[in-house]
Each structure stands twice: as structure tokens, then as C-alpha cells.
Amino acid sequence: MKSYFKHTLKSLDKVNIKYFIGADSLVGLGEGNLFKYSHNLKIYICKYNFIKISILFFILLKKKIVLKPKIENGTLLFKIRYKPNLTTKNKTWIKCFVMRKNKQNYYVSIGNKKSHFEFEDIKIKKQNINGDSFNVPAKMKFFISKYKNKLLF
């Protein structure tokens, strides 16, 4: 895993932003290869907080990692990418999808599709896999099997 991916995940923990590996990255991780479906990392942010995101922006910027807010299909997300200087950028990135909450469940909008997840399934634990530490759903295998169609978009 790229060092800026690791630094970003550690920084999310440091700022106390509740997140977990999501989408095709989670499915790949469950199958033994985080990047099986894409060279980019996708995470779900459970509780969006402007102040925490602002602090994260400055922590990452010190390491030449740029966090940009983006609007895709009317939905806020964040794209994080390593930029060693003003003219070059790394070809990979991290996309952070902000989860929303309604009365029945959490949901995340990816493209023009909404994926819904039940409240009780969004319990997060830290798991070490191949020497790297990841925030994942507490019952990862169950979560992946239950929501695989929603995770692979």
C-alpha cells in the first residue's frame, strides 16, 4: 500500500473521523487484495464534520497530500491525492464518500446510485491485515456478503 494511503488513514484516526474501507476496496480486502478491483482506495466517512475535515486538510497538506471537496451528481465527496509539486500528481487517489443517515439506515451516494446499509451493520473495528491496519465493518465477511452488489458499483 502506498505510503500516502497509510498516512491518510492514520491522519483520519488522529483527527477522530469515523470511517471504514468501503466500496470495491472493501470487497477486494475481503478477498485478500485491497486493490483487486481498482488501484484507488475508497472509504466511507460515517459522520461528516467540517471542523475535523478542515484539520485533516492541513495535516495532509504538510505531507504534500491534497484533500479536495468535490460535488459529483449533487453529492459531496472528498478526493485525496499525493502531489509532490505543483505540476505533478500521483495517478492514484483516495475517494471519501460521506454517508448520510435517514430514519431506517445509512446510505452513500456513488454516481447516481444510492447504497443503503442497516444501522446495526455499521459497527467498525480496527483490523490488521498483512501488516497494515484498516477500519472495517466489525462483521466484515457478513457485511461484504450481504452488501456486495451495493459495494461493487
Side-chain angles (χ1 to χ4, degrees):
M1 184 165 62
K2 294 183 181 280
S3 62
Y4 91 90
F5 285 176
K6 290 180 185 183
H7 183 75
T8 300
L9 296 178
K10 285 179 184 175
S11 297
L12 284 161
D13 288 333
K14 183 178 182 178
V15 179
N16 200 23
I17 294 175
K18 186 178 176 185
Y19 75 94
F20 64 95
I21 304 297
D24 56 347
S25 298
L26 182 63
V27 177
L29 186 63
E31 295 173 357
N33 181 359
L34 179 64
F35 301 105
K36 179 177 180 176
Y37 296 98
S38 171
H39 295 291
N40 305 311
L41 181 62
K42 279 86 168 194
I43 64 173
Y44 294 159
I45 295 176
C46 299
K47 293 182 181 175
Y48 171 72
N49 179 305
F50 177 77
I51 294 170
K52 289 181 180 183
I53 293 292
S54 300
I55 294 167
L56 179 66
F57 171 83
F58 289 108
I59 290 172
L60 294 177
L61 196 58
K62 287 180 188 175
K63 296 287 187 179
K64 299 182 180 181
I65 302 169
V66 178
L67 181 150
K68 288 193 323 188
K70 298 187 78 81
I71 302 290
E72 287 186 4
N73 296 309
T75 302
L76 174 69
L77 60 89
F78 298 95
K79 192 171 185 180
I80 301 171
R81 185 187 294 228
Y82 176 66
K83 286 188 77 165
N85 58 52
L86 291 174
T87 59
T88 59
K89 57 187 174 187
N90 197 284
K91 293 179 182 174
T92 62
W93 61 82
I94 301 169
K95 265 197 182 173
C96 305
F97 298 95
V98 178
M99 297 186 86
R100 302 285 183 216
K101 191 176 180 180
N102 62 27
K103 291 180 182 178
Q104 293 87 21
N105 51 39
Y106 284 105
Y107 66 92
V108 63
S109 297
I110 300 176
N112 54 5
K113 176 183 156 193
K114 285 185 180 174
S115 298
H116 296 264
F117 307 102
E118 294 178 27
F119 291 134
E120 60 269 9
D121 295 333
I122 307 295
K123 291 183 178 33
I124 300 168
K125 71 173 182 175
K126 183 134 330 248
Q127 185 167 335
N128 289 315
I129 300 171
N130 299 328
D132 293 314
S133 183
F134 301 100
N135 284 0
V136 297
K139 298 177 182 176
M140 186 171 82
K141 296 287 184 193
F142 171 77
F143 188 91
I144 292 170
S145 66
K146 182 174 181 178
Y147 297 111
K148 191 170 186 174
N149 293 353
K150 296 175 186 224
L151 294 167
L152 294 174
F153 49 93

